[in-house]
Amino acid sequence: MDMKRDVIIACDFASAEATYAFLDKFEGEPRKPFCKIGMELYYAAGPEIVREIKRRGHKIFLDLKLHDIPNTVKKTMAVLSQLDVDMTNLHAAGGRAMMEAALEGLTRPDGTRPALIAVTQLTSTSEEVMQKELLIDRPLPEVVMSYAANAKAAGLDGVVCSPLEAAKVHETCGDDFMTVTPGIRFAGGDAGDQKRITTPAKAAEIGSNFIVVGRPITADPDPVAAYRRAVAEFCEE
Ligand code: C5P
């Protein structure tokens, strides 16, 4: 997949209608937004939403974060590979065998496949919660790097991580290993439930390949202007 820096809009809407109404605002924009379809929208609207957004010419990151036994994940990925998405993902916490099975399932008979990336630790998880609730008593950056190394060893293309961790992931796993980073807020913006966050400009500086931006664009009264601002800060330096 082309690793040129890009902004991915998290289309976290509850229906196809709301999503199309949102995307219609970008008609005529010189740059077609790369769209992330997450659980909310996929469970509400099904695979047809993926096909339609693809027909409209957008690149798609299908963010379903699979986490199950290897056989189930493999068979599910085989189904998802029939949707023409550009990127999809799973939880690295499912382990190496699950990630390898996923890759096998995702690969089409002709050898092609969407990019596959792994969620390390959610950007809404703080080190305190990880240690006290999940009983993972190592420092959070160490856990993220270890999950990233597992994903790389399993043959995956990259990870979802906090923008604050992107440089270290590249250092550990190489420059070709993709970092896709949610937890993005404009300077002075509302963090919401996100914990490990930064601005688009800072994410570019740290070395993210893709930023995932949801509410700072979707909840803005002028989402097109907010998207342009993210692109200007992240892609154009
Ligand atoms: O609205 P906001 O910008 O916080 O949206 C971030 C998006 O990225 C959401 O769709 C969320 O599910 C997703 N995400 C995340 N942290 C991860 C993986 C995905 O916030 N580690």
Side-chain angles (χ1 to χ4, degrees):
M1 216 189 94
D2 186 1
M3 299 252 296
K4 198 155 167 282
R5 277 209 298 259
D6 205 356
V7 174
I8 303 179
I9 302 182
C11 296
D12 293 328
F13 298 105
S15 70
E17 295 68 32
T19 310
Y20 301 147
F22 173 77
L23 291 178
D24 285 346
K25 298 186 175 142
F26 292 82
E27 285 272 307
E29 274 298 292
R31 194 182 183 105
K32 274 245 173 223
F34 195 139
C35 294
K36 180 173 88 69
I37 299 176
M39 299 186 216
E40 181 185 7
L41 183 56
Y42 191 78
Y43 291 147
E48 190 45 33
I49 188 82
V50 176
R51 295 188 193 102
E52 177 54 26
I53 294 179
K54 200 76 209 179
R55 270 196 291 271
R56 288 174 173 230
H58 298 270
K59 282 189 173 170
I60 296 180
F61 167 23
L62 186 59
D63 175 26
L64 299 181
K65 299 189 182 72
L66 303 194
H67 189 172
D68 208 318
I69 59 171
N71 185 54
T72 302
V73 169
K74 178 178 168 179
K75 286 159 72 186
T76 306
M77 285 294 185
V79 172
L80 295 180
S81 78
Q82 292 165 36
L83 291 171
D84 187 20
V85 299
D86 299 277
M87 192 191 289
T88 191
N89 66 352
L90 41 60
H91 272 283
R96 209 158 133 180
M98 187 199 79
M99 291 192 270
E100 285 167 358
L103 211 50
E104 241 182 88
L106 198 61
T107 306
R108 304 180 188 105
D110 66 1
T112 63
R113 62 168 176 82
L116 182 62
I117 59 176
V119 176
T120 53
Q121 281 291 335
L122 293 172
T123 40
S124 55
T125 304
S126 64
E127 182 168 86
E128 190 190 4
V129 164
M130 190 191 72
Q131 295 180 342
K132 291 203 173 129
E133 286 182 27
L134 309 181
L135 303 185
I136 300 173
D137 61 4
R138 303 285 188 92
L140 196 138
E142 192 183 323
V143 175
V144 169
M145 291 322 136
S146 170
Y147 284 19
N150 284 344
K152 170 136 175 129
L156 269 64
D157 305 296
V159 285
V160 185
C161 62
S162 156
L164 304 171
E165 292 142 8
K168 193 87 178 62
V169 168
H170 286 300
E171 219 175 87
T172 310
C173 300
D175 283 341
D176 299 347
F177 195 66
M178 212 184 278
T179 50
V180 179
T181 65
I184 300 294
R185 293 295 179 264
F186 291 119
D190 179 12
D193 54 352
Q194 296 282 20
K195 299 283 190 284
R196 294 163 17 240
I197 57 174
T198 194
T199 62
K202 188 79 190 149
E205 203 182 302
I206 302 174
S208 291
N209 299 108
F210 295 91
I211 52 171
V212 176
V213 189
R215 289 160 291 183
I217 293 176
T218 56
D220 193 285
D222 186 348
V224 176
Y227 172 68
R228 285 188 196 142
R229 179 179 173 190
V231 169
E233 277 192 32
F234 184 66
C235 308
E236 289 157 17
E237 284 178 289

